[in-house]
Amino acid sequence: MSDTPIPAPLEADLAVIGAGPVGTLLAVLAARAGLRTVLVDARPETGTPATDTRSFAIVRGSWRMLGAAGVQADLEGLTEPLNGLEAVDGGTHWFGAPWAAFSSTDLPDGGGEPLGELVPAAALQAALDRQAGATSGLVWKRGARFSGYDALPSGAAVRLEGGDRVRCALIAACDGMQSAVRQAAGIGTEGRSYGKSVFAADVQLSRPHGGIARQLFTPEGPFATLPLPGNRANLAWYMKTGAAETLTKMPVEAIEAELNARFAEFAGPMTLDGPPLAYPLVMQIARDMTGPRVALLGDAARRINPLAGQGLNLGFKDAAALYDVILEAREVGLDPGSETVLARYREWRRFDSASTALFMDAVDRTFSNDNVLLKPLRSLALTAANRIAPVRQALARQASADQESLPSLMR
């Protein structure tokens, strides 16, 4: 029998499991609001971080939330304003490819701010990590992994690999699509595989992008370019499973030749500006947003089609909503992990979560084909989005997350 004493559990109001952008941002904001917060981060304390060549379209509401956490200053010079979005229906058409466009000028302020900012994933995580390290009252457990928890009337008892423990009122599950917290809470998922993967890479463009995100719907799937500083772009090309993974392993010259043979007419000649990556395309939605003493956020709650770049923004909206719910509970003396408080979070986020996932899925099903019966409907939808001002304005507000019903940090 070992004589090694069992370490006393950490006492916290909130345990955030998972230190990606959503979890780290929530932990920083909660700790700065005076909540005793523990951030459980599976990444090792030392070593080179994994390469991530993705870029995120951070919409207005999410950008304001990052500003509240002090992250905007750390990203100065690394982001590109998102001034507008354009979509073109590819495939075959009798009278040319229909298209649609809207911009920040379609918002009520007439373009006083861009729709959002394009932010490299690695730069965003690094900036959030710097803020986490500078936040007093935040206990940051690096190289720690969640192994289970017990829901008690007085709180949750969290177990970490290696024997460490945390006692807290509420667990925020920010640990991704394969969430161990979600599984421990007994929450199932529903969804499907698209049979596709996304080829992603940074490229140097030969034409000025003007801060416009552009998307071409082809019968195989979308091809999109997101503007980056220096007239560069982050591209996402939907391909059949296996094709994207194979393309990433080809020589640079072969990749560029394939890209330009297919898309130079749409985006202009491109050259690679960094290593490409590929990831599978799936839709997965948790059957519930909450469990005993647990709230699901980000990819733990849903993984959606990245068609319009809404995945991370939904995760940030989860974090902002949970932040408001916890602080409201504190003001009136309620237990933040109680079912009453969790129900408030669940009802606030469940509809937005499911409806966005299903809408993106429907868009992909509708546009990723050359079906002659669907083409008139697609043309009508794009024409309405392009020519009817109220439709354009509604799309711009949705794309920028600039609505009155948003959580306080995003308004």
Side-chain angles (χ1 to χ4, degrees), residues 16 37 41 68 74-75 79 87-88 94 134 138 159 167 176 182 192 216 256 298 355 366 383 385 397-398:
V16 180
T37 305
D41 184 353
D74 282 344
L75 294 171
T79 70
V88 179
W94 289 105
L138 174 59
R159 300 184 299 279
R167 286 186 61 89
R182 186 187 65 230
R192 74 181 183 97
L216 174 69
E256 291 175 347
S355 62
T366 302
T383 300
R397 286 185 71 93
Q398 181 65 32

Side-chain angles (χ1 to χ4, degrees), residues 80-86 102-103 209-214 225-227:
E80 179 71 22
L82 177 61
N83 296 322
L85 294 95
E86 294 180 358
F102 59 88
S103 70
H209 56 57
I212 304 298
R214 305 187 68 223
T225 58
L226 302 175

Side-chain angles (χ1 to χ4, degrees), residues 21 55 57 72 74 158 183 198 237 244 252 267 273 283 309 330 336 340 365 372-373 408:
S55 290
Q72 287 184 9
D74 282 344
V158 178
Q183 294 172 33
V198 178
W237 180 8
V252 170
D273 188 35
M283 180 178 71
R330 183 176 65 176
T340 300
R365 288 176 185 267
V372 295
L373 298 178
S408 62

Side-chain angles (χ1 to χ4, degrees), residues 93-164:
H93 299 274
W94 289 105
F95 303 107
W99 60 282
F102 59 88
S103 70
S104 57
T105 59
D106 292 307
L107 291 168
D109 64 6
E113 296 179 64
L115 294 173
E117 297 283 337
L118 270 298
V119 182
L124 175 62
Q125 187 65 59
L128 285 164
D129 287 347
R130 283 192 291 272
Q131 292 300 322
T135 299
S136 60
L138 174 59
V139 178
W140 188 5
K141 299 280 292 180
R142 297 294 299 265
R145 290 183 178 275
F146 171 91
S147 65
Y149 86 103
D150 297 307
L152 308 171
S154 59
V158 178
R159 300 184 299 279
L160 305 180
E161 292 180 4
D164 286 343

Side-chain angles (χ1 to χ4, degrees), residues 101-103 105-108 381-399 403:
F102 59 88
S103 70
T105 59
D106 292 307
L107 291 168
L382 289 173
T383 300
N386 196 46
R387 297 185 180 179
I388 302 175
V391 175
R392 273 201 327 274
Q393 292 161 3
L395 288 170
R397 286 185 71 93
Q398 181 65 32
Q403 299 124 330

Side-chain angles (χ1 to χ4, degrees), residues 294-366:
V294 166
L296 304 185
L297 296 84
D299 283 356
R302 102 287 293 156
R303 169 67 71 86
I304 70 170
N305 192 313
L307 202 56
Q310 291 299 305
L312 181 59
N313 292 294
L314 284 174
F316 283 159
K317 201 182 293 187
D318 294 337
L322 187 62
Y323 174 91
D324 279 357
V325 166
I326 294 173
L327 294 191
E328 288 169 5
R330 183 176 65 176
E331 288 178 5
V332 297
L334 290 176
D335 175 357
S338 68
E339 173 55 27
T340 300
V341 175
L342 287 171
R344 164 86 169 113
Y345 170 73
R346 181 171 61 245
E347 295 306 315
W348 194 348
R349 296 299 304 133
R350 182 168 53 186
F351 178 76
D352 185 33
S353 177
S355 62
T356 303
L358 295 174
F359 177 73
M360 292 300 125
D361 182 64
V363 171
D364 183 78
R365 288 176 185 267
T366 302

